[in-house]
Amino acid sequence: MKRYNPKEIEPRWQQIWDETGVYTADLQSSKPKYMAMSMFNYPSGAGIHIGHAMNYTISDVKARFKRQQGYESYHPVGWDAFGLPAENYAIKAGVSPQQSMATIIPSYHKQYKAMGWSNDWEKEIATHLPEYYKWTQWIFVQMYKHGLAYQDSRMQWWCEKDNSVLANEQVIDGKCWRHDGPDDPLVQKKEVKQWFFKITEYADELLGAIDDLDWTETVKLAQKNWIGKSKGAEVEFVIDGTDKKVTVFTTRPDTLYGATFLVLAPEHELVDGVRTDEQKQAVDAYIQAAQQKSEVERQAAKEKTGVFTGAYAINPINDQKLPIWIADYVLEGYGTGAIMAVPAHDERDNEFAKKYKLPIIRVVQNDAPDDECSHDEGTMMNSGEYDGQTSSDARENIVKTLAAQGKATEKVNYKMRDWSVSRQRYWGAPIPIINCEKCGPVLVPDEDLPVVLPELDDFKPNGDGRSALARASDWLKVACPECGGEAERETDTLDTYICSSWYMFRYMDPHNQKAIFDSEIVNKWAPVDFYNGGDHATAHLLYARFVTRFFTKIGIMENPEPFKQMLFNGKVTAGDGTMFSKSKGNGVDPLDIIAQGYGADALRTYLMFAAPLDTWIRWDSQGVPGTHRFLSRLWALVQEYLEAEERVVSEAAQKDILRATHQMIRKMTEDIEENRYNTAIAASMTAVNELYKLKVEHLARTTVWQEALEAVVVCVAPFAPHIADELWFQLGHHTSVQKDTWPEWNDKYLTQDTMTIVVQINGRLRTTLEVDTAATEDAIVMAAKSDGKVAAHLEGKEMLKTIYVQKKLVNFVVK
RNA sequence: GGGCGAGUGGCGGAAUUGGUAUACGCGUUUGACUUAAAAUCAAAUGACCAAAAGUCUUGUGGGUUCAAGUCCCACCUCGCCCACCA
């Protein structure tokens, strides 16, 4: 009997799949389409790790399942190649990022194939290739032409180590996301001229569509928080003794009578204009101190600080004079950078008022002690004519009154800012702009795209805030497309989030040289049916949704959402629950596991079996041997069958065989569809166990066994595709198991002649009965009552009630 | 501080949504095969009890119900995300 040897069969099948192109999707096919993918990979010298094995197997199983079900299933592959790590590596190693990608990417090919992933290699893409980034640049051009790309000077997060600007989401706990070690510096703010995409214009649309998405709930929530919509009003306060006005944003205009002071952010433009001469020194000192503090220190500061400006503002609702303070707990970047402080009903204002002995006036009735605050809504008090109204009525009425006088407007604010898309680094798609002294920034004409990134010897940033491209003088100097005069190319490159915001559509038409993609194909294949990754990826998903919506607005595609289903899957940690890390040397290399002889099939099956997909799994060194054992059992069963004699199998045994297989088919079909891979695999194990019991007396080369084994092989194929194809051929087939093979279950094989009835007394299990499925209620209750054990318990008791649940249970309630 | 989620054997985890708690796997124990070991096959495996019978058991305490891992209330513990956003 041949032994199960994954080392022999896996490479063989990988080669056959390659040669026959079973995983090449026909995008023009008339079959129903299905597209499953995981977030694409950032190629680095380290190769794939166990986290990749997890992520990509999840989408691979889905793609295989659908392919077997008869869908035209497309499991694409590509590389998110631009970005800082490759550039930093290039600086260190002196090898150009172009060159290192040219060697790294092919090494990934081997690793992906060794994992048995069903990628369509004909349609492979990589974001650093001119044929790809031509269209990344084209998106910038379109954004610009539609008024959604603009340039602005902003205070930006700046990482000294990278010499580059960082987006908000790239700042984690005050440090650069790539330099967050204990010795790394905190990020700084620096004024830089930046290109932005006006994503805020889509904020409401992006928010509104979230609820309908079939995505992991926490990911949806993260998107909502990120957008951070809040409804309120802007209220105008006149500064006493001047004609200057300061506008505040508040979500609680109902508490306007409770405002006892105003607070401006230190960077607020009115600060210089309002402070009195007596307070100049104190204010200047405070602002200087605030500037020196990094954002982290500001946020970490437990105690609130501030300084009085000496100026007062007039409360528009009751003409009260309110002192104007400056404090860094008010942020310049949100709302108007100024607030009305209501210490009775806002915790931060309360803390500040207590520290600086400012008055606290309660305007919403509550039970809190006098100097405590409560943000609850309720009935108004101390609010003039609004006393007795509910918060929500007062809110509406106060805004209405002030609006009539031009002193307030309803206002919606978002936490989300416009998307900063320029990076002062070399390894990215050059921004297709030419800066002309006469004409200003001018778009590179479409026919001149792509602006090819020149190969350099030295990739270090220029040190003046510009990328290495500032030193590429041949590339830099160019004639202005408008006036023909001397001009320079933009030396910023595009944020790699742009590259990844549209790659799923390029997958659908990867070699198109005339357009970003063919609309007809994309309208057929979008949205992506299944998308997964091990991160919330809030920014990536939001940007992808934004760009997709933009595409629909400019008429190149129809569906405004890129991903129909999005699964945020768990990760793999070391057995002690800590993250795998190179420095600790506790990593588990998927390729090692395969090489040890367990094979990719056992590894894939273990990863999908260990826990539900959204749960973090702890690596268990006994896990892969366990799934390997299961696959060996299946292998051995097929071998025994092939060597068995032809003979008649009893009708009862046939029924048992059919029931075991059809139960498995049903459970696996439903569970894979619903992303419950762990219980799907359990169902296949149960079936194999059942067949093992049946084989002892009934194994024979007959149709019923042939079909049962085929069903198991087919159902296991999404998880363990190599052994499946091998056994499929051994069972006499000549075409791959990977396509159009998924079986249907038949309910008639699931029925049994008898059923198990649970018998309870006062809700406690006393016995179970095997009865004929056709048995009536009366017959079942009679049988239950006369059962020996039950009768003993009923002896001498008064029968109060008999509960009968159809085909399930009898419960006698006695006293 | 805010939000979300989770507590089930020695371990990872099941439980058709109120109806036999602990599927499946790991581990452990025993037996078969073997000179022996590994591998494989078979059996057992929540706790208490020598065993049968029985009792107890889904973080803790209450409640609803004929019946609760599942529903309700209170508490404890853990995890994740966001965090001075007015």
Side-chain angles (χ1 to χ4, degrees), chain A residues 555-783:
Chain A
I556 59 173
M557 62 179 285
E558 284 166 1
N559 196 312
E561 288 293 339
F563 307 113
K564 193 170 171 194
Q565 190 179 159
M566 149 73 202
L567 174 79
F568 171 38
N569 58 263
K571 295 187 177 180
V572 186
T573 67
D576 59 4
T578 58
M579 297 298 283
F580 283 127
S581 77
K582 262 195 210 151
S583 55
K584 278 193 231 156
N586 63 352
V588 172
D589 183 344
L591 299 170
D592 280 352
I593 303 278
I594 295 170
Q596 279 164 29
Y598 292 115
D601 283 341
L603 174 60
R604 295 164 51 106
T605 307
Y606 166 66
L607 289 170
M608 300 300 100
F609 174 64
L613 295 179
D614 57 4
T615 303
W616 286 50
I617 69 175
R618 292 181 178 206
W619 184 257
D620 174 1
S621 59
Q622 298 297 332
V624 174
T627 46
H628 175 81
R629 190 172 305 144
F630 160 64
L631 296 174
S632 304
R633 276 164 67 79
L634 173 58
W635 174 276
L637 182 59
V638 173
Q639 306 312 312
E640 276 191 62
Y641 161 75
L642 293 172
E643 291 162 15
E645 287 171 16
E646 280 184 46
R647 65 188 170 99
V648 177
V649 174
S650 75
E651 214 164 287
Q654 290 202 27
K655 261 188 175 173
D656 290 342
I657 293 166
L658 284 165
R659 190 180 318 109
T661 39
H662 283 255
Q663 264 168 356
M664 173 200 68
I665 295 167
R666 183 172 82 151
K667 180 84 177 138
M668 291 190 82
T669 307
E670 291 172 351
D671 283 357
I672 297 174
E673 183 70 43
E674 301 295 324
N675 303 329
R676 295 186 298 257
Y677 294 1
N678 58 330
T679 49
I681 293 167
S684 66
M685 290 172 167
T686 305
V688 168
N689 291 346
E690 290 290 320
L691 294 177
Y692 256 69
K693 279 180 197 141
L694 288 162
K695 85 173 185 183
V696 177
E697 286 186 31
H698 305 289
L699 189 62
R701 269 206 89 141
T702 55
T703 315
V704 67
W705 276 101
Q706 174 79 22
E707 286 177 0
L709 292 172
E710 285 185 358
V712 179
V713 164
V714 165
C715 287
V716 155
F719 304 100
H722 309 85
I723 190 177
D725 245 336
E726 180 72 18
L727 294 177
W728 186 246
F729 273 63
Q730 289 182 16
L731 285 166
H733 293 270
H734 303 287
T735 56
S736 174
V737 75
Q738 313 298 345
K739 271 189 174 176
D740 307 324
T741 50
W742 198 264
E744 305 251 332
W745 74 88
N746 189 333
D747 283 332
K748 82 177 178 197
Y749 297 127
L750 301 178
T751 57
Q752 298 189 326
D753 299 338
T754 62
M755 56 187 178
T756 308
I757 298 290
V758 172
V759 184
Q760 299 179 335
I761 293 167
N762 288 343
R764 303 174 73 94
L765 175 72
R766 291 303 168 189
T767 191
T768 59
L769 297 175
E770 278 303 304
V771 303
D772 193 285
T773 15
T776 62
E777 174 178 348
D778 287 348
I780 290 169
V781 170
M782 278 303 290

Side-chain angles (χ1 to χ4, degrees), chain A residues 18 171 283 366 416 514 600 629 811:
Chain A
D18 242 4
V171 178
V283 169
N366 63 57
M416 183 170 71
K514 295 199 190 100
R629 190 172 305 144
N811 186 13

Side-chain angles (χ1 to χ4, degrees), chain A residues 351-418:
Chain A
E351 194 188 317
F352 195 82
K354 279 188 201 160
K355 177 166 176 188
Y356 293 103
K357 310 256 177 319
L358 294 159
I360 299 172
I361 301 173
R362 183 174 301 177
V363 292
V364 180
Q365 293 175 21
N366 63 57
D367 300 331
D370 261 358
D371 62 340
E372 292 298 312
C373 84
S374 158
H375 52 257
D376 291 350
E377 304 204 349
T379 307
M380 303 308 298
M381 59 192 272
N382 295 330
S383 294
E385 60 185 285
Y386 303 96
D387 279 359
Q389 296 188 6
T390 61
S391 292
S392 57
D393 286 348
R395 182 152 56 228
E396 210 170 291
N397 293 331
I398 287 174
V399 174
K400 217 182 273 173
T401 306
L402 291 179
Q405 304 164 25
K407 292 175 184 168
T409 46
E410 283 186 14
K411 175 84 183 172
V412 171
N413 256 316
Y414 298 94
K415 283 190 218 174
M416 183 170 71
R417 316 286 161 79
D418 278 341

Side-chain angles (χ1 to χ4, degrees), chain A residues 34 70 115 195-196 218 226 229 244 253 281 283 319 332 456 484 577 790 792:
Chain A
Y34 196 88
M115 283 298 303
W195 285 96
F196 292 89
T218 56
W226 181 276
K229 180 179 184 170
K244 287 180 188 145
Q281 223 183 335
V283 169
D319 294 334
E332 171 64 12
L456 302 180
V790 176

Side-chain angles (χ1 to χ4, degrees), chain A residues 541-562:
Chain A
L541 290 168
L542 203 57
Y543 294 151
R545 296 181 61 220
F546 164 56
V547 168
T548 305
R549 267 165 205 274
F550 174 67
F551 285 170
T552 66
K553 301 254 155 102
I554 63 173
I556 59 173
M557 62 179 285
E558 284 166 1
N559 196 312
E561 288 293 339

Side-chain angles (χ1 to χ4, degrees), chain A residues 67 183 538 700:
Chain A
R67 192 178 294 113
D183 300 330
T538 309

